[in-house]
Amino acid sequence: MSSREVIVLNVGGVRFVTRASTLQQFPESRLARMVNDDNREFKLVNGEVFVDRDGALFSYIMDFLRTLQVSLPTDFSDYQRLQREAEFYELYPLANLLSQEHLLKPRLEILEVRFSLREMQTFFRIFGSCSTTIGALAEQITVFTGQQSGQGWNSPFPSQKPLVPLPLERPSHHDLVFLCGTEYSAGDQFMARYVSIKPDNRKLINGTNVLGLLFDTLLKDGFRLISTRTVTSEEKVECYTFERMKRTAGLAIMVNQTPGSSGVAQARRSQVQKGK
């Protein structure tokens, strides 16, 4: 089998086609020894290597050998079974990663939007359990200010006066504050605040429109609305709570190459970001 470039594995009735070099990523593993004809436990049947193990779980083994990363679905729960499979194939770096189940399990992320309408202005405050999400959202939202004359809500953008972007308020790493609408300045002049949320290029002044665009942005980012409540009826503060499952920082195997190792030597662990 050592002379073959492409190998077909039949694992519990599920076929896998891969390169011999992929199975040799870890020279001390049972799969590598099989390719090198040093392991007689696996039987060659009709040109396919038959392995009497779980084929569905082996798909994660193959993915690991191809990418050197643990990549599991958010609803995955068979950590111990997959660890046993990794131990059977003597892929101990993978087994060690799977033993750190708490690092691989996805975490529930909560985000809360508070919306308050006061006369002709609307106040927004966004709280998030993940500071990275709040930081990314802050980069998408821009508030522009400028003077205009007329009736505030229904007036067009101020003519011949460029809008000035304003920084968002960041009371902490886990929340941000901004507002939109108009406030009386002097005479028939109004100070207007417009909100733009990337990738949408509109500048919105109406708080309800901004809220709708914010919802669309969060839903496209994988959040789902789970509750709506009134915080204080006197101040008309509405609270909207969102959640999403976020994969935590996963673990990868970084492989060092050494002379005479045929491409792979001892593995070491490092963290890599898996998704939002």
Side-chain angles (χ1 to χ4, degrees), residues 178-199:
F178 62 93
L179 62 90
C180 64
T182 60
E183 60 181 347
Y184 180 74
S185 177
D188 63 348
Q189 296 295 312
F190 289 83
M191 181 62 67
R193 289 188 184 224
Y194 303 87
V195 173
S196 178
I197 304 178
K198 297 177 182 177

mmCIF file of all heavy atoms in Angstrom, residues 178-199:
data_model
loop_
_atom_site.group_PDB
_atom_site.id
_atom_site.type_symbol
_atom_site.label_atom_id
_atom_site.label_comp_id
_atom_site.label_asym_id
_atom_site.label_seq_id
_atom_site.Cartn_x
_atom_site.Cartn_y
_atom_site.Cartn_z
ATOM 1 N N PHE A 178 -25.624 55.725 21.076
ATOM 2 C CA PHE A 178 -25.720 56.737 20.034
ATOM 3 C C PHE A 178 -27.166 57.205 19.963
ATOM 4 O O PHE A 178 -28.065 56.589 20.545
ATOM 5 C CB PHE A 178 -25.244 56.211 18.675
ATOM 6 C CG PHE A 178 -26.044 55.057 18.143
ATOM 7 C CD1 PHE A 178 -27.118 55.269 17.282
ATOM 8 C CD2 PHE A 178 -25.725 53.751 18.475
ATOM 9 C CE1 PHE A 178 -27.859 54.213 16.779
ATOM 10 C CE2 PHE A 178 -26.458 52.687 17.973
ATOM 11 C CZ PHE A 178 -27.522 52.920 17.132
ATOM 12 N N LEU A 179 -27.400 58.312 19.277
ATOM 13 C CA LEU A 179 -28.759 58.820 19.109
ATOM 14 C C LEU A 179 -28.920 59.407 17.730
ATOM 15 O O LEU A 179 -27.954 59.716 17.033
ATOM 16 C CB LEU A 179 -29.106 59.842 20.188
ATOM 17 C CG LEU A 179 -28.291 61.144 20.273
ATOM 18 C CD1 LEU A 179 -28.924 62.233 19.415
ATOM 19 C CD2 LEU A 179 -28.211 61.620 21.711
ATOM 20 N N CYS A 180 -30.192 59.560 17.313
ATOM 21 C CA CYS A 180 -30.511 60.171 16.033
ATOM 22 C C CYS A 180 -31.736 61.056 16.215
ATOM 23 O O CYS A 180 -32.392 61.031 17.253
ATOM 24 C CB CYS A 180 -30.758 59.111 14.961
ATOM 25 S SG CYS A 180 -32.192 58.067 15.289
ATOM 26 N N GLY A 181 -32.031 61.854 15.207
ATOM 27 C CA GLY A 181 -33.167 62.772 15.286
ATOM 28 C C GLY A 181 -32.703 64.215 15.241
ATOM 29 O O GLY A 181 -31.596 64.529 14.799
ATOM 30 N N THR A 182 -33.558 65.125 15.689
ATOM 31 C CA THR A 182 -33.246 66.545 15.647
ATOM 32 C C THR A 182 -33.520 67.190 16.994
ATOM 33 O O THR A 182 -34.305 66.703 17.803
ATOM 34 C CB THR A 182 -34.098 67.262 14.579
ATOM 35 O OG1 THR A 182 -35.489 67.086 14.903
ATOM 36 C CG2 THR A 182 -33.829 66.719 13.190
ATOM 37 N N GLU A 183 -32.844 68.284 17.219
ATOM 38 C CA GLU A 183 -33.102 69.100 18.400
ATOM 39 C C GLU A 183 -33.045 70.569 17.987
ATOM 40 O O GLU A 183 -32.296 70.950 17.094
ATOM 41 C CB GLU A 183 -32.097 68.805 19.508
ATOM 42 C CG GLU A 183 -30.646 69.080 19.131
ATOM 43 C CD GLU A 183 -29.697 68.740 20.261
ATOM 44 O OE1 GLU A 183 -30.193 68.534 21.383
ATOM 45 O OE2 GLU A 183 -28.481 68.677 20.038
ATOM 46 N N TYR A 184 -33.844 71.398 18.647
ATOM 47 C CA TYR A 184 -33.939 72.811 18.305
ATOM 48 C C TYR A 184 -32.625 73.507 18.612
ATOM 49 O O TYR A 184 -32.011 73.293 19.646
ATOM 50 C CB TYR A 184 -35.075 73.459 19.084
ATOM 51 C CG TYR A 184 -35.252 74.931 18.800
ATOM 52 C CD1 TYR A 184 -35.817 75.360 17.605
ATOM 53 C CD2 TYR A 184 -34.854 75.881 19.735
ATOM 54 C CE1 TYR A 184 -35.977 76.713 17.346
ATOM 55 C CE2 TYR A 184 -35.010 77.234 19.494
ATOM 56 C CZ TYR A 184 -35.581 77.658 18.290
ATOM 57 O OH TYR A 184 -35.731 78.995 18.051
ATOM 58 N N SER A 185 -32.171 74.351 17.677
ATOM 59 C CA SER A 185 -30.921 75.078 17.870
ATOM 60 C C SER A 185 -31.186 76.568 18.050
ATOM 61 O O SER A 185 -31.139 77.074 19.147
ATOM 62 C CB SER A 185 -29.986 74.848 16.677
ATOM 63 O OG SER A 185 -28.801 75.586 16.818
ATOM 64 N N ALA A 186 -31.532 77.279 17.005
ATOM 65 C CA ALA A 186 -31.821 78.715 17.090
ATOM 66 C C ALA A 186 -32.616 79.115 15.861
ATOM 67 O O ALA A 186 -32.376 78.619 14.755
ATOM 68 C CB ALA A 186 -30.532 79.528 17.173
ATOM 69 N N GLY A 187 -33.578 80.016 16.046
ATOM 70 C CA GLY A 187 -34.421 80.430 14.942
ATOM 71 C C GLY A 187 -35.165 79.230 14.394
ATOM 72 O O GLY A 187 -35.825 78.510 15.121
ATOM 73 N N ASP A 188 -35.062 79.015 13.093
ATOM 74 C CA ASP A 188 -35.689 77.832 12.499
ATOM 75 C C ASP A 188 -34.647 76.763 12.196
ATOM 76 O O ASP A 188 -34.869 75.867 11.400
ATOM 77 C CB ASP A 188 -36.449 78.205 11.227
ATOM 78 C CG ASP A 188 -35.508 78.755 10.148
ATOM 79 O OD1 ASP A 188 -34.339 79.052 10.471
ATOM 80 O OD2 ASP A 188 -35.950 78.868 8.996
ATOM 81 N N GLN A 189 -33.473 76.866 12.852
ATOM 82 C CA GLN A 189 -32.407 75.903 12.636
ATOM 83 C C GLN A 189 -32.538 74.713 13.592
ATOM 84 O O GLN A 189 -32.926 74.864 14.742
ATOM 85 C CB GLN A 189 -31.034 76.564 12.838
ATOM 86 C CG GLN A 189 -30.718 77.668 11.836
ATOM 87 C CD GLN A 189 -30.601 77.130 10.429
ATOM 88 O OE1 GLN A 189 -29.919 76.142 10.192
ATOM 89 N NE2 GLN A 189 -31.263 77.804 9.489
ATOM 90 N N PHE A 190 -32.208 73.527 13.081
ATOM 91 C CA PHE A 190 -32.231 72.306 13.878
ATOM 92 C C PHE A 190 -30.881 71.610 13.741
ATOM 93 O O PHE A 190 -30.254 71.648 12.673
ATOM 94 C CB PHE A 190 -33.331 71.354 13.394
ATOM 95 C CG PHE A 190 -34.721 71.829 13.718
ATOM 96 C CD1 PHE A 190 -35.370 72.751 12.895
ATOM 97 C CD2 PHE A 190 -35.386 71.355 14.833
ATOM 98 C CE1 PHE A 190 -36.645 73.187 13.185
ATOM 99 C CE2 PHE A 190 -36.665 71.779 15.123
ATOM 100 C CZ PHE A 190 -37.304 72.703 14.300
ATOM 101 N N MET A 191 -30.452 71.024 14.839
ATOM 102 C CA MET A 191 -29.259 70.179 14.786
ATOM 103 C C MET A 191 -29.732 68.754 14.531
ATOM 104 O O MET A 191 -30.524 68.211 15.311
ATOM 105 C CB MET A 191 -28.472 70.248 16.095
ATOM 106 C CG MET A 191 -27.199 69.411 16.086
ATOM 107 S SD MET A 191 -26.004 69.960 14.828
ATOM 108 C CE MET A 191 -25.560 71.573 15.488
ATOM 109 N N ALA A 192 -29.293 68.175 13.440
ATOM 110 C CA ALA A 192 -29.760 66.850 13.036
ATOM 111 C C ALA A 192 -28.654 65.819 13.209
ATOM 112 O O ALA A 192 -27.476 66.111 12.992
ATOM 113 C CB ALA A 192 -30.222 66.873 11.580
ATOM 114 N N ARG A 193 -29.079 64.613 13.598
ATOM 115 C CA ARG A 193 -28.155 63.485 13.709
ATOM 116 C C ARG A 193 -28.692 62.325 12.865
ATOM 117 O O ARG A 193 -29.827 61.897 13.061
ATOM 118 C CB ARG A 193 -27.984 63.040 15.158
ATOM 119 C CG ARG A 193 -27.209 64.024 16.012
ATOM 120 C CD ARG A 193 -26.923 63.424 17.373
ATOM 121 N NE ARG A 193 -26.257 64.393 18.216
ATOM 122 C CZ ARG A 193 -25.204 64.140 18.996
ATOM 123 N NH1 ARG A 193 -24.708 62.917 19.021
ATOM 124 N NH2 ARG A 193 -24.663 65.076 19.740
ATOM 125 N N TYR A 194 -27.872 61.872 11.945
ATOM 126 C CA TYR A 194 -28.230 60.775 11.070
ATOM 127 C C TYR A 194 -27.384 59.551 11.434
ATOM 128 O O TYR A 194 -26.242 59.683 11.862
ATOM 129 C CB TYR A 194 -27.984 61.151 9.601
ATOM 130 C CG TYR A 194 -28.718 62.384 9.149
ATOM 131 C CD1 TYR A 194 -28.167 63.655 9.310
ATOM 132 C CD2 TYR A 194 -29.972 62.275 8.548
ATOM 133 C CE1 TYR A 194 -28.847 64.788 8.899
ATOM 134 C CE2 TYR A 194 -30.654 63.411 8.122
ATOM 135 C CZ TYR A 194 -30.091 64.659 8.310
ATOM 136 O OH TYR A 194 -30.766 65.786 7.898
ATOM 137 N N VAL A 195 -27.935 58.389 11.227
ATOM 138 C CA VAL A 195 -27.217 57.148 11.529
ATOM 139 C C VAL A 195 -27.090 56.319 10.256
ATOM 140 O O VAL A 195 -28.066 56.143 9.519
ATOM 141 C CB VAL A 195 -27.943 56.328 12.618
ATOM 142 C CG1 VAL A 195 -27.281 54.956 12.797
ATOM 143 C CG2 VAL A 195 -27.935 57.092 13.941
ATOM 144 N N SER A 196 -25.893 55.819 10.026
ATOM 145 C CA SER A 196 -25.624 54.926 8.901
ATOM 146 C C SER A 196 -25.040 53.629 9.455
ATOM 147 O O SER A 196 -24.183 53.662 10.336
ATOM 148 C CB SER A 196 -24.642 55.572 7.924
ATOM 149 O OG SER A 196 -24.343 54.699 6.855
ATOM 150 N N ILE A 197 -25.524 52.493 8.956
ATOM 151 C CA ILE A 197 -25.032 51.185 9.392
ATOM 152 C C ILE A 197 -24.549 50.417 8.175
ATOM 153 O O ILE A 197 -25.338 50.088 7.288
ATOM 154 C CB ILE A 197 -26.133 50.385 10.123
ATOM 155 C CG1 ILE A 197 -26.701 51.179 11.298
ATOM 156 C CG2 ILE A 197 -25.579 49.039 10.601
ATOM 157 C CD1 ILE A 197 -27.828 50.468 12.033
ATOM 158 N N LYS A 198 -23.252 50.134 8.114
ATOM 159 C CA LYS A 198 -22.675 49.395 6.991
ATOM 160 C C LYS A 198 -23.200 47.963 7.005
ATOM 161 O O LYS A 198 -23.489 47.413 8.060
ATOM 162 C CB LYS A 198 -21.149 49.379 7.103
ATOM 163 C CG LYS A 198 -20.503 50.749 7.023
ATOM 164 C CD LYS A 198 -18.996 50.616 7.216
ATOM 165 C CE LYS A 198 -18.333 51.990 7.181
ATOM 166 N NZ LYS A 198 -16.875 51.886 7.437
ATOM 167 N N PRO A 199 -23.364 47.368 5.809
ATOM 168 C CA PRO A 199 -22.985 47.873 4.482
ATOM 169 C C PRO A 199 -24.046 48.754 3.830
ATOM 170 O O PRO A 199 -23.866 49.206 2.709
ATOM 171 C CB PRO A 199 -22.789 46.590 3.682
ATOM 172 C CG PRO A 199 -23.745 45.625 4.291
ATOM 173 C CD PRO A 199 -23.768 45.946 5.749
#
